[in-house]
Amino acid sequence: MAVNESHLVQRGHAYCIVDEVDSILIDEARTPLIISGPSDDNVEMYTTSDRIARQLKEGRDFEKDEKERNVAMTEAGIARCEELLKLPDLFSDAAHSDLAHRIVQALKARILFQKDVHYVVKDGEIIIVDEFTGRLMVGRRYSDGLHQAIEAKEGVKVGRESQTLATITLQNYFRMYRKLAGMTGTAATEAEEFKEIYGLEVIVVPTNVEMIREDCPDVIYRTVLEKFSAAADEIEESYKEGCPVLVGTTSIESSERLSKLLKARKIPHQVLNAKHHEREAQIVAQAGHLGAVTVATNMAGRGTDILLGGNPEFLTREALRRENGEAAESSEQYSALLEKYREQCRAEREKVKALGGLKILGTERHESRRIDNQLRGRAGRQGDPGSSRFYLSLEDDLLRLFGSERIQGLMEKLGMEEGESIEHNLLTKAIANAQKKVEQLHFDIRKQLLAYDNVMNRQREAVYTERQQILRDEGIQEHVWEIIEGVIDDILERYFPEEGEADPARAVARLKAIFGSGLEARLEGVDNVRDMLAHRDELVAEIRDRFIGKVETLGKEEGRALLRFLVLHTLDSGWKDHLLAMDELRRGIGLRAIGQKDPLLEYQFKSYNLFQSMMERVRESVAELAFRVRVVSERGGASDGSNRREGREFILPFGASQEQQPPSLKHGVEGVQQPVKKGPKTGRNDPCPCGSGKKFKHCCGKNA
């Protein structure tokens, strides 16, 4: 974090226009944005947890909830874990809470997160696959130890667990802008959420030409195998006719499964998923080519225009690369090739249009209707012909978890045999209703996340507002004194209450711990509130004189910079610890519902108390540091000319000018550099002081 105003890089939040706004403000908003750093947790614990999870059986030791994406241990499972680890009270003893939590996360990783569906293993790393776009999310990690659990499951190097340094939800981040707008082709289904959360109205802009795409009813089969076989049959038929086909899948696993079927039938095709994302432009550009077959995950639905007959500009650039490497687009060779491919693509375009245009096949329904609409929208653009159809099965996750029992009941009554399908508009509507259920579930998740983050957001705004004021405050000395004076008043009010017995001894001890010795005389004989108030001004005046004297020994410019650094460093450290405490509070607050209490209200109450305690600790730390700090130059002497240390002191390096400052402060890195130790210089031919017996020049002084 910035420790100087010149280090600030973020401007104000005035107006924001978001492309594919539903993807950013809706899909991505299910999880908060987190800036984190590694913690000191024992990574071996994840390996142990994975070993235990492998020995647990579903139904006996744990129950899974695919809808909520969660697992719950049974009594038998708890006993089994305690037996394997030889740890009684594993799930009830607070000392073992971390291990118990990691066992549950290991179960989640093994049962609910699948390779090539939720993540891929690439170059010895676990990389998350975005469930909406299909893109690899490099640098992203699952939180709460889940990523480490997946790493242990796949046998790759387990990374250290992260500690939250800063966090915010996308909802609260974008609500910081005074004006917010966006564009997308599929926001109509989320109009209610845009209005409720962001205050945004959704306006549907009609197409410039009439939409003539034919959206056929869904086809439902009994099993996944039958579904993929039927989809492959239609792809084969379309390929023989020359009609281009774009097949949409919801996972890498499904795309590669279909690819194997097509290879067995000797049908040329392109596969576009997270494993081949670097070829996305090449594949999508030619998906409308005569006879092209493209199998894609959700990656195909991101606003890319697929030109019927192919893309002449892309074909030209590819031809130039094959012939002589790169060539400028202004060259005569480029112009000649471009005209050639334009004629070729124009002729193919007419043939494709005569065949019915681009055909869209979906092998699954996505949880969100918008993703399906994006896939459909790849065909029939700019008035072109096209068609779309989805191939489904009763074994698909959407129908299995959220589908109506009427669908399964109807299939059973019909007594369908292997390979038979059912097709009807009523079934398509029933599936759309299942998607609405999932969308409502996700909306509730996002709404709950926002409700909890709103509590944190008020605290976040208070801390960052305070931070901005400190960075820009020219009168930092007076600001620090106000903090010190507040600490004095807090101590006096704590130990000299208006009601109750005074404790002057503890008050003196606390004042001495923060401000040093010599203040006992100011409170001598004071044993009640009235006497304390009479002596308060004298006590405050003496502490202020000490503070001014301390600042004067530091120098005007160095003192201001040092005080600003102390306040910022202390505030940042306190906020980081507060975020950790809030994570722990959030993790277990749901249990308050068992006691018939509202978890959100309990969270608000507890978080307020935690925040007040954090700010009190920060103020006391700032006051203590202001009186205990000394500045040490590289020459080894303290700035006040004294080497005597009374009590506990904090020594920070600080030069007289910006150029003379050590990197730890000059570049804004929060750290403490130890003073340089000076002593008699060792000659190159003298025995090395380390005791090796070698000459200094051949030992520690080799590189000197």
Side-chain angles (χ1 to χ4, degrees):
M1 295 185 180
V3 294
N4 190 290
E5 189 177 0
S6 62
H7 299 154
L8 295 175
V9 296
Q10 194 172 96
R11 298 178 295 176
H13 300 79
Y15 185 40
C16 183
I17 302 178
V18 185
D19 191 22
E20 300 294 340
V21 64
D22 53 347
S23 175
I24 302 299
L25 301 189
I26 303 296
D27 298 337
E28 297 286 343
R30 287 167 59 181
T31 54
L33 297 172
I34 297 173
I35 299 175
S36 60
S39 66
D40 296 327
D41 289 345
N42 182 14
V43 297
E44 295 297 327
M45 195 179 294
Y46 294 100
T47 306
T48 303
S49 301
D50 182 69
R51 177 175 57 83
I52 299 299
R54 290 173 183 268
Q55 303 179 62
L56 302 179
K57 294 183 178 180
E58 185 180 348
R60 184 192 70 183
D61 300 322
F62 66 90
E63 301 289 342
K64 70 175 180 181
D65 186 344
E66 292 185 81
K67 290 184 180 180
E68 299 290 340
R69 195 166 289 186
N70 200 5
V71 295
M73 299 289 294
T74 63
E75 292 292 334
I78 293 173
R80 177 65 172 159
C81 292
E82 291 174 348
E83 179 187 349
L84 291 170
L85 291 169
K86 297 180 173 55
L87 290 173
D89 303 323
L90 174 62
F91 282 79
S92 57
D93 191 345
H96 305 311
S97 60
D98 285 345
L99 181 56
H101 174 69
R102 282 160 177 75
I103 291 173
V104 174
Q105 294 297 80
L107 277 174
K108 285 184 180 180
R110 300 201 64 81
I111 305 301
L112 300 174
F113 288 82
Q114 303 175 35
K115 182 181 177 181
D116 291 339
V117 177
H118 302 101
Y119 63 89
V120 298
V121 181
K122 189 175 182 180
D123 300 328
E125 294 184 4
I126 303 298
I127 303 177
I128 301 172
V129 177
D130 189 284
E131 64 178 302
F132 295 99
T133 65
R135 289 186 181 274
L136 294 180
M137 303 171 71
V138 181
R140 295 272 193 101
R141 295 177 66 86
Y142 292 115
S143 61
D144 206 21
L146 179 60
H147 206 95
Q148 286 80 3
I150 296 174
E151 289 171 331
K153 166 192 170 184
E154 297 295 341
V156 302
K157 183 181 178 182
V158 180
R160 293 165 64 187
E161 192 168 340
S162 57
Q163 179 179 352
T164 301
L165 304 178
T167 178
I168 192 171
T169 58
L170 277 167
Q171 295 101 321
N172 274 323
Y173 177 75
F174 281 102
R175 292 197 301 186
M176 294 169 65
Y177 289 93
R178 293 196 294 271
K179 291 184 179 293
L180 183 62
M183 299 158 289
T184 184
T186 51
T189 58
E190 310 293 344
E192 181 183 350
E193 184 167 353
F194 276 115
K195 180 64 177 177
E196 183 173 343
I197 302 299
Y198 303 99
L200 293 173
E201 299 284 350
V202 176
I203 300 174
V204 179
V205 180
T207 56
N208 64 320
V209 292
E210 185 181 357
M211 174 66 70
I212 61 174
R213 184 187 67 239
E214 181 184 4
D215 295 324
C216 304
D218 298 346
V219 181
I220 304 179
Y221 292 83
R222 292 189 308 167
T223 65
V224 173
L225 181 61
E226 295 174 29
K227 174 187 71 174
F228 276 107
S229 182
D233 290 340
E234 182 164 352
I235 294 169
E236 185 175 13
E237 183 181 344
S238 299
Y239 170 72
K240 290 178 179 178
E241 293 177 353
C243 182
V245 182
L246 174 64
V247 187
T249 66
T250 60
S251 69
I252 300 171
E253 183 183 44
S254 296
S255 67
E256 294 186 345
R257 181 175 186 174
L258 183 59
S259 178
K260 289 180 181 178
L261 287 176
L262 297 179
K263 286 178 180 177
R265 301 186 184 207
K266 295 182 170 56
I267 300 174
H269 63 281
Q270 298 283 353
V271 178
L272 176 60
N273 58 37
K275 291 183 176 181
H276 313 290
H277 68 91
E278 67 278 355
R279 299 176 59 227
E280 179 182 355
Q282 175 186 351
I283 295 173
V284 173
Q286 303 306 323
H289 192 71
L290 191 68
V293 178
T294 308
V295 181
T297 60
N298 306 322
M299 304 178 74
R302 285 193 297 272
T304 303
D305 274 333
I306 298 175
L307 303 180
L308 300 185
N311 189 311
E313 287 82 5
F314 189 87
L315 288 172
T316 303
R317 287 193 291 269
E318 283 296 301
L320 289 172
R321 287 192 189 97
R322 288 194 302 268
E323 290 181 14
N324 54 6
E326 298 292 337
E329 295 188 3
S330 59
S331 68
E332 293 183 4
Q333 186 183 12
Y334 179 88
S335 300
L337 282 173
L338 180 61
E339 188 60 33
K340 170 190 171 183
Y341 284 116
R342 277 177 176 170
E343 288 297 326
Q344 178 182 316
C345 292
R346 193 176 295 115
E348 283 196 20
R349 173 182 171 83
E350 296 304 318
K351 293 179 182 179
V352 173
K353 289 175 68 175
L355 293 169
L358 179 65
K359 184 178 291 187
I360 302 293
L361 297 183
T363 60
E364 295 103 342
R365 282 282 199 161
H366 199 275
E367 291 180 348
S368 173
R369 289 172 295 165
R370 292 183 296 103
I371 306 301
D372 292 341
N373 292 337
Q374 285 180 357
L375 180 61
R376 280 198 172 107
R378 298 312 98 212
R381 303 177 75 87
Q382 301 297 322
D384 288 337
S387 63
S388 69
R389 185 188 295 275
F390 283 85
Y391 285 78
L392 311 176
S393 79
L394 294 179
E395 296 177 346
D396 292 348
D397 289 343
L398 180 69
L399 294 182
R400 184 169 53 86
L401 299 175
F402 300 96
S404 171
E405 294 180 359
R406 294 171 57 188
I407 300 175
Q408 298 186 18
L410 181 60
M411 301 279 286
E412 292 174 0
K413 288 179 181 179
L414 292 174
M416 297 174 58
E417 298 181 358
E418 184 177 351
E420 288 186 334
S421 64
I422 184 172
E423 172 184 342
H424 200 279
N425 287 328
L426 289 177
L427 290 175
T428 303
K429 290 181 180 178
I431 293 166
N433 289 332
Q435 290 176 303
K436 288 180 181 179
K437 291 181 183 178
V438 184
E439 290 170 357
Q440 184 60 45
L441 175 65
H442 290 168
F443 175 55
D444 292 339
I445 293 173
R446 291 189 292 267
K447 195 172 181 180
Q448 185 184 41
L449 177 69
L450 182 61
Y452 280 91
D453 190 64
N454 282 336
V455 178
M456 174 73 79
N457 196 51
R458 290 191 287 271
Q459 300 176 3
R460 184 187 301 113
E461 289 175 350
V463 169
Y464 280 89
T465 299
E466 175 75 9
R467 211 178 186 287
Q468 293 286 343
Q469 291 176 351
I470 294 168
L471 283 172
R472 296 184 170 92
D473 192 0
E474 295 296 327
I476 187 65
Q477 180 177 333
E478 287 301 316
H479 183 87
V480 174
W481 169 246
E482 289 176 1
I483 294 175
I484 294 171
E485 190 173 13
V487 170
I488 298 171
D489 288 335
D490 288 343
I491 293 173
L492 295 177
E493 289 175 7
R494 188 185 309 152
Y495 296 111
F496 293 93
E498 293 185 0
E499 298 181 359
E501 188 176 351
D503 194 347
R506 294 185 66 182
V508 170
R510 189 64 186 137
L511 290 170
K512 183 179 179 180
I514 296 176
F515 305 113
S517 60
L519 299 173
E520 299 86 348
R522 298 296 182 186
L523 293 177
E524 189 175 348
V526 177
D527 56 2
N528 56 65
V529 179
R530 184 177 297 177
D531 292 342
M532 181 273 292
L533 293 174
H535 290 78
R536 177 198 173 275
D537 292 344
E538 295 178 2
L539 177 66
V540 170
E542 181 171 342
I543 294 175
R544 181 174 176 82
D545 290 340
R546 291 187 180 188
F547 173 68
I548 293 173
K550 172 65 75 172
V551 174
E552 288 177 351
T553 62
L554 299 174
K556 185 177 180 181
E557 294 299 324
E558 289 95 336
R560 287 172 55 187
L562 182 57
L563 289 175
R564 181 175 286 108
F565 172 78
L566 290 177
V567 177
L568 292 173
H569 178 71
T570 307
L571 182 61
D572 291 345
S573 298
W575 178 243
K576 184 179 69 173
D577 294 340
H578 179 68
L579 290 176
L580 180 61
M582 292 290 285
D583 286 343
E584 295 294 330
L585 175 64
R586 178 74 175 88
R587 185 181 298 170
I589 200 67
L591 297 175
R592 302 298 176 96
I594 300 175
Q596 304 299 312
K597 295 181 179 180
D598 186 345
L600 180 58
L601 291 177
E602 290 293 304
Y603 183 76
Q604 292 173 341
F605 177 74
K606 292 290 185 181
S607 64
Y608 175 79
N609 290 337
L610 285 174
F611 184 74
Q612 292 298 320
S613 299
M614 183 271 292
M615 293 303 296
E616 183 178 348
R617 289 195 304 271
V618 167
R619 288 193 293 268
E620 289 192 359
S621 296
V622 169
E624 185 174 5
L625 283 170
F627 279 84
R628 300 287 184 181
V629 70
R630 291 190 297 143
V631 178
V632 178
S633 68
E634 290 192 357
R635 291 185 296 272
S639 61
D640 59 1
S642 174
N643 291 319
R644 181 175 58 87
R645 302 179 69 179
E646 181 180 328
R648 182 165 63 98
E649 294 202 353
F650 302 87
I651 305 177
L652 293 176
F654 212 75
S657 66
Q658 181 71 13
E659 294 300 318
Q660 295 172 340
Q661 292 176 23
S664 60
L665 287 180
K666 185 163 67 174
H667 300 296
V669 178
E670 300 172 356
V672 176
Q673 181 176 323
Q674 296 299 320
V676 178
K677 294 181 179 180
K678 298 286 186 177
K681 185 177 181 180
T682 305
R684 289 181 55 78
N685 293 312
D686 293 339
C688 190
C690 72
S692 65
K694 299 180 181 179
K695 292 184 178 181
F696 179 70
K697 66 181 180 182
H698 296 308
C699 190
C700 297
K702 185 180 294 184
N703 298 318

